[in-house]
Amino acid sequence: MSTLHEPAPETEGTAPMIVHDAPGSGHGERERPKPSGRLTDGLNPPQKAAVEYRGPALLIVAGAGSGKTRVLTHRIAGLIETREAWPSQILAITFTNKAAAEMRERVAALLGQASDGMWISTFHSACVRILRREAQKMGLPATFTIYDSADSRTVIKRIIKARDADTLGFTPGGVSSRISKLKNELTDDEAFARNANMGDPKEVEFLAIYRDYTRILRAAGAMDFDDLIAETVYLFRAFPDVAALYRRRFRHVLVDEYQDTNHAQYALIREFTEPVTAELSAQMQRDGLHVERLLDSTGGIPGASLTVVGDSDQSIYAFRGADIRNITEFERDFPGASVVLLEQNYRSTQNILSAANSVISNNFDRKAKNLFTTVGDGEKIVGYTGYSGHDEAQFVADEIETLHRAGMAYRDIAVFYRVNSQTRPLEEIFVRSALPYRVVGGTKFYERAEIKDAMAYLIAVANPIDELALRRILNTPKRGIGPATETALQSFAETNEISFREAMRSAGALGLGPKVTTAILALAAVLDESAAKVDPENPAGVTSVSDLLTFLVTESGLHETLRTSRDPQDETRAENVEELVAQTKDFDRENPGATLVDFLTQVSLVAAADELDDSSGTVSLMTLHTAKGLEYDAVFLTGIEEELLPHKMSTNEPGGLAEERRLFYVGITRAKKRLHLSLAMTRSQFGDTSVAMPSRYLQEIPAELIDWRQSPGMANSRGGTQPRALNARRDGRSLGPGIGGGFRDAPTPGLKPKTEWPNRITAEVRDNGDLELVAGDRIRHANFGDGRVTQVTGEGSKRVAHVQFDAAGPKKLLIKIAPIEKIA
DNA sequence: CCAGGGGCGTTTTTT
DNA sequence: ACGCCCCTGG
């Protein structure tokens, strides 16, 4: 187990010359092979410089849309093509799996060969890969479970309850975010104990909770998201010989989205790029590893070459520990570093860029950077103020239909918002308008209860000591094992110093009722049988993930219970379980030889953006955070209101307003051709409706760039006469003199201030049953008034009426639920 | 042990 | 408005 971190055998012994010249280091301008013109043609000078740079550290400051992925992929391809590096010597870290997949594809396309051997993955995937290999050293099972935030919360909730810590004001949310922050700072429970103020009872209690949490995860053989990074750092620090193996292997480390790295990730990068001492190099050589070609004059292996790409203007993850100093102080951290600035934008029109530049320039403390393009001004930005979230959504839907009729594909259109709850009105209107859409992220498939249940069965098989998983499935489906029984099992396990799972096997010794005992033993038997199926030692061979899951959901009764339940919602749940089985089938097919643990890992580490399917013919809905790194022909930024963007939670946090502004900036710069900004005058939350004000950021965009279809200055929430200045606040005070001019000045030819809302859109939904409509029918719509049906498409419950409304124009309506009736 | 009702907190963003 | 949690009565 000690020396298996070899690059693929065929690369051994023929490792290419590593050229590692820091600028000015003396032995520089030897005839180093340059990447062929093929890889630099068509690049602008700074891009070319970034591709061709050779040295210890390179920072690519890449403005939005400046072609950083292109630079990164060409840089990697160049290193391979010139034989300066083997694929196995490349480690590239991206933010999402999707970005990793894209990079892998593009590198492979450039090289005309597969990128096998390279590690191109997210921080978390790379760490899991390392940790599973080295698990034994860390005293962990190689099959350790990865706990998501919900799992952590469950554990913390139990700890708080067991300790009665809520009386001291501890909440699961508060504790989990604090623990997460500490782990991101590489402060584990013991480090925290050393610095904690033990005079403060709350601190003492928090430490106790942190310790319990650490202990419980350890005992369950589980890691949370933050552990994945931190434990890898600890692994490298505790085992220099292990670190040396990875440092020897990865000669080129490239990190994307560097502005969003937190301290632990920064420390990890440092670990990867440290040199290997002469001593350890000699040790590896004695172990039969080839190191000769890597050695420098000191007899050690120099640190890997590091390339980071980032843009501090797009730093939007401070809330989860991202430290912008990682990028701003890069040159100090890595002496000898070079910096390349990419400012030419290849994505957006000048109007969009001008708006973006103008907004972001309000953040002081930033390095000047000005995006420019040569593609011309393009269309103006379109603005719209709706009466309500539904009205805003209707605008978005109508505008999308207009774009679509003009030839834009749905998949090239995206709608962004600040918080997930904004999807509700959007979805309601989109469904009614028969607009094909997809919500990216949000409530994920894998977060559904029935899916987590089914997954817990798989986890219980893969990692039998995971008590959380076991307790989840203990009484799911209902088999009469209640909390009392659960506690009995747990204390039996504790007194006999056996695992929960073993306690289940010995259920007969607990003196429980016969029914309960039988139920526990039956479940234990199903799990044991399953474990045998995936035991690599099993002479009959290993069962595929899909067959295993089918066995589990069948034998446990989970599927059957849902299928035959009286609760109508359980029908969907049963279908979801079936969908999961289908997904495991896909997984088995696409990953021959992959194990159950591989499947569980993959599921644990999917990011919202990974779900995006470029070939889908649908409009994409997502949060501004998820949108980072993506681009669309047409972008709709919704809810550009005070308290939403900037979000009210951010306003009190230091740097919060600047971060929210960056979020707006990220949103704007996703748009290639068309940008729409919309807001509503009233916004519903928690059931009641309140007045919303235009976002302060709106006035940071020069007025001449925006074509207001309906400006905030033209209307107010009551349809009354009070003008709404942009810089008005709810309390009536102005945001200050000299900024903005309100929208009263905005040129909006042909539009008069609005006092009525003929198209006030409601959330009204109707069940029309099987209302029959044919072309020519006159109908009346609750919001749009009267109109004439021009066409009916689709079938059954998905029939869509195309209606020409007398006042509101053309719309598509889902007949089954639209608030319509047939007239004369 | 379980189903159903009432009460309450929730929503910032996510690997 | 919704979902979760706790409590009560079967």
Side-chain angles (χ1 to χ4, degrees):
Chain A
M1 281 310 274
S2 61
T3 58
L4 45 69
H5 311 293
E6 288 303 285
E10 68 274 14
T11 69
E12 266 304 321
T14 48
M17 191 67 188
I18 301 301
V19 181
H20 205 95
D21 306 328
S25 70
H27 47 286
E29 297 309 313
R30 206 161 33 195
E31 70 282 25
R32 179 177 61 225
K34 272 204 167 184
S36 65
R38 192 172 63 83
L39 290 173
T40 49
D41 281 351
L43 298 184
N44 66 36
Q47 285 181 327
K48 191 159 182 262
V51 168
E52 290 179 344
Y53 170 85
R54 297 295 182 267
L58 172 66
L59 165 62
I60 303 171
V61 176
S66 60
K68 66 175 171 136
T69 308
R70 192 152 184 239
V71 167
L72 272 181
T73 51
H74 284 239
R75 182 167 164 74
I76 294 171
L79 288 166
I80 308 292
E81 188 195 63
T82 56
R83 300 178 76 77
E84 288 166 85
W86 287 112
S88 61
Q89 292 175 323
I90 304 283
L91 171 63
I93 307 278
T94 59
F95 204 66
T96 62
N97 296 300
K98 181 168 186 274
E102 188 192 342
M103 190 174 292
R104 212 174 291 125
E105 256 167 54
R106 287 172 65 168
V107 170
L110 285 172
L111 291 171
Q113 66 182 60
S115 53
D116 293 353
M118 285 183 209
W119 278 32
I120 303 182
S121 70
T122 62
F123 270 107
H124 291 86
S125 303
C127 288
V128 169
R129 201 162 162 184
I130 293 169
L131 287 170
R132 290 218 191 275
R133 279 185 183 180
E134 314 293 344
Q136 282 189 323
K137 291 202 173 62
M138 303 295 281
L140 269 170
T143 56
F144 63 81
T145 311
I146 300 164
Y147 279 4
D148 66 17
S149 334
D151 298 327
S152 308
R153 249 182 128 89
T154 306
V155 172
I156 291 169
K157 203 182 285 176
R158 283 182 191 161
I159 297 171
I160 290 177
K161 198 164 178 185
R163 303 188 60 89
D164 263 330
D166 54 335
T167 54
L168 279 163
F170 288 102
T171 61
V175 170
S176 91
S177 84
R178 187 156 176 212
I179 290 180
S180 174
K181 283 204 175 82
L182 286 167
K183 288 185 174 180
N184 286 334
E185 291 294 317
L186 293 177
T187 308
D188 64 11
D189 54 344
E190 291 319 311
F192 180 79
R194 286 193 288 279
N195 298 312
N197 170 16
M198 293 307 195
D200 181 347
K202 277 200 72 171
E203 287 295 274
V204 174
E205 182 62 18
F206 174 77
L207 172 61
I209 295 172
Y210 194 3
R211 280 187 165 142
D212 281 355
Y213 178 75
T214 308
R215 189 174 43 75
I216 289 172
L217 261 63
R218 280 251 138 204
M223 301 258 217
D224 65 24
F225 281 137
D226 305 310
D227 285 332
L228 297 176
I229 313 291
E231 292 293 328
T232 308
V233 173
Y234 298 148
L235 169 78
F236 282 0
R237 289 184 181 170
F239 302 94
D241 53 325
V242 174
L245 294 168
Y246 290 93
R247 290 171 185 159
R248 166 185 166 276
R249 169 173 174 153
F250 296 122
R251 306 311 305 149
H252 296 272
V253 177
L254 303 97
V255 185
D256 196 7
E257 307 284 11
Y258 191 67
Q259 76 283 352
D260 285 323
T261 51
N262 60 35
H263 177 72
Q265 291 165 332
Y266 165 80
L268 182 66
I269 293 163
R270 290 228 74 125
E271 289 296 328
F272 273 126
T273 53
E274 287 289 310
V276 181
T277 61
E279 198 185 331
L280 277 169
S281 304
Q283 179 63 49
M284 284 193 284
Q285 195 157 18
R286 282 197 294 280
D287 287 345
L289 294 178
H290 290 279
V291 296
E292 336 41 67
R293 285 163 182 261
L294 303 173
L295 300 181
D296 61 14
S297 54
T298 69
I301 304 174
S305 169
L306 174 65
T307 303
V308 305
V309 188
D311 176 5
S312 29
D313 289 337
Q314 293 183 65
S315 161
I316 54 174
Y317 282 104
F319 72 91
R320 74 173 197 213
D323 191 344
I324 204 162
R325 284 175 308 176
N326 288 345
I327 196 164
T328 53
E329 291 176 20
F330 184 80
E331 292 168 80
R332 221 187 57 194
D333 281 341
F334 297 89
S338 294
V339 180
V340 168
L341 185 63
L342 305 181
E343 286 181 301
Q344 179 163 2
N345 176 291
Y346 296 94
R347 178 185 294 153
S348 311
T349 65
Q350 187 60 51
N351 278 343
I352 292 167
L353 289 184
S354 299
N357 282 332
S358 168
V359 166
I360 201 66
S361 68
N362 288 279
N363 273 358
F364 46 94
D365 256 18
R366 67 184 272 279
K367 270 190 196 164
K369 175 153 40 75
N370 235 5
L371 297 179
F372 69 95
T373 180
T374 57
V375 302
D377 286 350
E379 304 283 334
K380 272 196 176 188
I381 296 164
V382 173
Y384 182 85
T385 311
Y387 168 73
S388 63
H390 283 93
D391 191 25
E392 177 190 31
Q394 187 66 56
F395 160 77
V396 173
D398 289 347
E399 205 67 14
I400 289 175
E401 277 306 319
T402 306
L403 291 170
H404 185 243
R405 275 196 296 270
M408 193 179 283
Y410 288 129
R411 82 171 75 87
D412 296 323
I413 303 172
V415 183
F416 302 154
Y417 37 82
R418 178 64 177 83
V419 297
N420 284 113
S421 61
Q422 284 173 260
T423 52
R424 196 162 300 169
L426 288 166
E427 286 195 79
E428 282 169 8
I429 297 296
F430 283 15
V431 167
R432 240 195 280 174
S433 309
L435 194 64
Y437 72 93
R438 218 193 121 148
V439 178
V440 183
T443 353
K444 282 185 238 133
F445 179 73
Y446 289 100
E447 284 168 10
R448 292 166 194 268
E450 64 276 16
I451 298 304
K452 291 216 85 168
D453 292 338
M455 292 294 295
Y457 275 95
L458 290 175
I459 292 169
V461 171
N463 181 18
I465 63 171
D466 187 339
E467 206 180 301
L468 190 73
L470 275 178
R471 287 170 66 171
R472 181 173 186 111
I473 60 175
L474 196 59
N475 198 31
T476 314
K478 300 265 186 306
R479 35 173 93 87
I481 308 174
T485 312
E486 189 180 319
T487 313
L489 277 168
Q490 203 177 5
S491 51
F492 183 81
E494 271 164 34
T495 37
N496 294 289
E497 295 187 328
I498 55 174
S499 71
F500 195 87
R501 175 72 172 276
E502 284 168 77
M504 285 170 63
R505 290 196 193 99
S506 328
L510 269 84
L512 297 160
K515 244 180 130 175
V516 180
T517 307
T518 314
I520 298 171
L521 290 175
L523 175 60
V526 170
L527 293 176
D528 284 341
E529 197 179 333
S530 301
K533 283 175 184 288
V534 291
D535 184 349
E537 315 271 294
N538 189 340
V542 174
T543 305
S544 68
V545 180
S546 56
D547 286 347
L548 176 71
L549 181 61
T550 307
F551 176 79
L552 281 167
V553 299
T554 309
E555 294 301 312
S556 68
L558 183 69
H559 185 231
E560 188 64 12
T561 312
L562 289 172
R563 226 166 43 83
T564 57
S565 153
R566 287 185 304 120
D567 185 341
Q569 291 192 314
D570 282 343
E571 197 184 319
T572 324
R573 298 194 178 109
E575 284 165 14
N576 286 335
V577 171
E578 288 154 25
E579 167 64 20
L580 182 66
V581 172
Q583 289 194 19
T584 55
K585 284 196 176 125
D586 292 344
F587 175 84
D588 286 333
R589 188 162 25 78
E590 287 159 22
N591 306 278
T595 64
L596 170 60
V597 170
D598 293 331
F599 176 71
L600 296 174
T601 303
Q602 184 186 295
V603 169
S604 301
L605 299 180
V606 288
D610 297 339
E611 309 162 14
L612 269 172
D613 175 5
D614 296 326
S615 62
S616 81
T618 64
V619 174
S620 298
L621 273 61
M622 68 189 87
T623 65
L624 285 165
H625 285 87
T626 303
K628 192 180 65 161
L630 305 175
E631 59 176 28
Y632 292 90
D633 283 347
V635 162
F636 291 80
L637 295 184
T638 64
I640 313 301
E641 298 149 26
E642 285 294 300
E643 315 236 300
L644 213 45
L645 188 74
H647 195 275
K648 59 168 174 278
M649 292 300 172
S650 71
T651 32
N652 293 326
E653 278 166 30
L657 288 173
E659 175 141 324
E660 296 286 305
R661 185 178 281 111
R662 289 195 290 270
L663 208 41
F664 189 36
Y665 174 80
V666 165
I668 293 171
T669 53
R670 299 308 94 197
K672 289 155 91 168
K673 298 176 184 153
R674 311 288 292 249
L675 178 63
H676 304 73
L677 304 175
S678 61
L679 58 152
M681 296 195 310
T682 61
R683 186 70 61 185
S684 313
Q685 58 166 4
F686 309 145
D688 53 17
T689 305
S690 54
V691 175
M693 286 303 195
S695 166
R696 66 192 72 187
Y697 302 139
L698 271 179
Q699 58 194 314
E700 296 173 356
I701 298 177
E704 66 273 14
L705 294 179
I706 307 183
D707 168 19
W708 282 100
R709 300 283 176 77
Q710 196 157 281
S711 92
M714 295 163 58
N716 70 50
S717 57
R718 275 182 256 285
T721 53
Q722 274 186 327
R724 284 160 56 95
L726 224 204
N727 56 0
R729 291 205 325 198
R730 201 191 292 209
D731 57 13
R733 283 188 293 136
S734 159
L735 285 175
I739 39 171
F743 288 124
R744 282 163 295 183
D745 310 329
T748 44
L751 277 176
K752 291 198 161 56
K754 248 196 150 116
T755 52
E756 278 177 30
W757 295 85
N759 60 342
R760 188 179 285 198
I761 303 300
T762 61
E764 192 178 340
V765 169
R766 194 168 296 177
D767 187 355
N768 292 319
D770 30 325
L771 174 68
E772 287 295 335
L773 288 178
V774 292
D777 283 347
R778 293 282 299 171
I779 59 151
R780 178 163 297 155
H781 186 283
N783 304 134
F784 305 136
D786 294 357
R788 197 176 62 82
V789 177
T790 55
Q791 195 191 353
V792 177
T793 56
E795 290 191 357
S797 62
K798 298 212 171 118
R799 275 178 314 132
V800 174
H802 301 241
V803 183
Q804 181 67 41
F805 283 98
D806 302 344
K811 310 265 184 210
K812 287 199 299 184
L813 302 167
L814 199 61
I815 295 176
K816 189 169 165 44
I817 58 159
I820 50 173
E821 57 190 353
K822 204 143 109 174
I823 52 176

